[in-house]
Amino acid sequence: MKNIEKIVNAALVLNQKATATFLPTAIKFYYIFNLRDLSNIFQGILFSGPECLKTPVDFVRLWLHEASRVYGDKLINVKDMDTFQKMKFEVAKTFFEELDESALKAEPLICCHFASGIGEPKYLSVTSWESLSKILEEALESYNEINAVMNLVLFD
């Protein structure tokens, strides 16, 4: 229960910081963050199950992933993305100082329904870029066997 309170408080602080830092302008008119964004983070967390959240680090990494998808995906330039990355990890460090910082920052920070392969969807963390690439290539091959060939190039 202690970690749940910390996640909620950290999410509130991150929302306040993102709202104050990334203000809408004529070019960035869609930099509007509100409570819907906050609810989207928790909606994403609710996709996970016990197989995804074995340790407190897993829980915090899932929250960091969802925050990146909600806030980070709206950002349009490298400076804003870097600012958000720093902000996100500062908030995590403030609220979860007992957790290993290198474990929280480990890449890739991606969760998806096909991390363990195509089939029964389970919302899990991707363990490596290589495993994600392999799963996507297998899915493309499977699709191309059944349907008209889709010539996609999957970049690293």
Side-chain angles (χ1 to χ4, degrees), residues 2-11 56 59-60 63-64 90-101 104:
K2 185 170 72 173
N3 283 329
I4 293 171
E5 287 180 32
K6 285 183 176 183
I7 287 282
V8 170
N9 290 330
F59 191 33
V60 176
W63 167 68
L64 290 168
E90 282 174 11
V91 171
K93 188 176 180 182
T94 301
F95 284 89
F96 304 99
E97 58 192 22
E98 72 279 3
L99 299 180
D100 179 24
E101 188 174 346
L104 293 179

Side-chain angles (χ1 to χ4, degrees), residues 11-12 20 31 67 93 126:
L12 288 169
Y31 274 26
K93 188 176 180 182
V126 172

Side-chain angles (χ1 to χ4, degrees), residues 88-128:
K88 177 177 74 172
F89 287 116
E90 282 174 11
V91 171
K93 188 176 180 182
T94 301
F95 284 89
F96 304 99
E97 58 192 22
E98 72 279 3
L99 299 180
D100 179 24
E101 188 174 346
S102 62
L104 293 179
K105 291 183 175 183
E107 290 289 332
L109 182 56
I110 299 174
C111 299
C112 60
H113 287 96
F114 52 85
S116 61
I118 304 299
E120 184 182 341
K122 290 183 180 177
Y123 202 65
L124 301 169
S125 291
V126 172
T127 55
S128 69

Side-chain angles (χ1 to χ4, degrees), residues 122-139:
K122 290 183 180 177
Y123 202 65
L124 301 169
S125 291
V126 172
T127 55
S128 69
W129 292 112
E130 294 78 24
S131 68
L132 178 61
S133 179
K134 182 179 176 192
I135 290 167
L136 293 174
E137 287 170 7
E138 288 172 0

Side-chain angles (χ1 to χ4, degrees), residues 23-31 74 76-77:
L23 300 171
T25 64
I27 295 173
K28 303 171 187 176
F29 57 90
Y30 50 86
Y31 274 26
K74 288 185 181 180
I76 62 168
N77 61 40

